[in-house]
Structure formats: C-alpha cells, structure tokens
Amino acid sequence: MKRSREKAAAELFAALYPRLAGWCRGLVDDDETAHEVASEAFTRLWARWTSVAEPRGFLYVTAANLVRDHWRKLERERRAVRRATAEAAVRPPAEQADPSVRLLVQALPERLRTPILLHYYADMPIREVAVLTGRKEGTVKADLHAARELLRAHLRRSLDHTL
C-alpha cells in the first residue's frame, strides 16, 4: 500500500511539477521562489494525500495562496523601505505608477484574484474554477468580469499618469 502511494505521488509530481513551477515563476518573477512555492504546495498535498480528491486543483489553490502570502511579504518590505526612505529624506520622491499586470492582479480582492489566477494563469476552465472555489459557474464568470473591469480601469489610470 505504501509503495503504490509513493509511486502515485511520484508520477503526479513528474506530471504536474514543471507546469506548476512555471506558473508560479510567472507570478513571482523569481525562479528560486517559484520552486519553493511549488515544492511547498506538493509538501502540503503529500501531508493530506489520502483526503484530497482533486490533487491538481489542490496544488494550484495552495500555490495561489502561497504566492499571495509572498506578495504580501514583499509589500510589507516595500512599505518598510518607503517609510525608512521617507524618514531619511526631507521630501520623499513622487511614487511612480507601475502598470504591471502582475502587481494589479496582486492588488485585487481575494474573491476576484483567485479566479483570475486559476482561470488565466493556470488555464483552468470556468467549470473547474467553480468547483475549486466552491462557487457557481455564473458567479465565477461575474467575478472574472468584475476583475477584468478593475484591471482595465487601473491600467487606464496608470497609463494616463505616465503620459
């Protein structure tokens, strides 16, 4: 029993790790962090191996949560650096608008961010996103629409500020 469980886990790892790590790489923009996130997602899956019905979905949702935690940590560090810089300078420099889509997705409320990450970044169909998030397909579609509208508005504002 233990041997077949280990074999199944090894096959799943071989099949899904490269794509999961690549997806994470696109979100965190760092190879080492992407591999850490993907590895941690697999570690958490392994800890719950017998109780997880949908391993692929579990991996992507776990990785999305870990990426979100990483983004929060980076934002806390940026705020600390800005505070330190502001205290050291007589007048802090004007902050440049960054129209990076990744940063804009990071700023979305979790309710909208998770479907965006799963649908557009993990290439999951709306039906699968609905199952993984526990929402109806119509709700997922509405959330994706709302997220796209917010992103569009943020991008317009960012581009207006840079012109």
Side-chain angles (χ1 to χ4, degrees):
M1 173 69 183
K2 185 178 180 186
R3 196 70 171 135
S4 65
R5 177 179 170 220
E6 288 177 6
K7 184 177 185 223
E11 288 171 357
L12 184 72
F13 184 85
L16 296 181
Y17 183 84
R19 187 160 185 204
L20 180 66
W23 179 69
C24 292
R25 170 66 172 87
L27 295 173
V28 298
D29 203 28
D30 175 62
D31 285 335
E32 186 177 337
T33 303
H35 285 287
E36 287 175 12
V37 168
S39 296
E40 179 62 22
F42 270 96
T43 300
R44 292 182 184 191
L45 173 63
W46 181 249
R48 295 162 184 79
W49 184 253
T50 58
S51 63
V52 174
E54 181 54 51
R56 179 176 180 258
F58 179 89
L59 287 169
Y60 276 90
V61 169
T62 300
N65 288 335
L66 292 168
V67 165
R68 183 193 66 229
D69 293 345
H70 171 74
W71 286 343
R72 284 180 180 163
K73 178 183 173 203
L74 288 179
E75 185 54 34
R76 284 192 303 272
E77 290 170 356
R78 283 187 202 112
R79 279 196 307 263
V81 167
R82 281 195 299 263
R83 274 194 309 271
T85 304
E87 291 169 4
V90 175
R91 191 174 126 226
E95 190 174 308
Q96 287 288 341
D98 185 354
S100 165
V101 173
R102 183 177 58 85
L103 294 174
L104 294 175
V105 169
Q106 173 187 345
L108 288 172
E110 184 174 357
R111 173 183 67 80
L112 302 178
R113 184 178 50 244
T114 299
I116 286 284
L117 291 174
L118 295 175
H119 183 65
Y120 290 109
Y121 288 85
D123 294 324
M124 291 185 184
I126 290 174
R127 182 180 312 120
E128 192 171 348
V129 173
V131 169
L132 292 174
T133 59
R135 299 178 188 153
K136 294 180 179 179
E137 285 184 42
T139 303
V140 170
K141 288 177 184 178
D143 288 346
L144 289 170
H145 175 77
R148 285 190 306 268
E149 290 301 312
L150 279 173
L151 292 171
R152 187 175 294 123
H154 286 300
L155 281 171
R156 272 197 198 109
R157 279 196 301 274
S158 294
L159 290 174
D160 289 346
H161 284 75
T162 58
L163 295 179

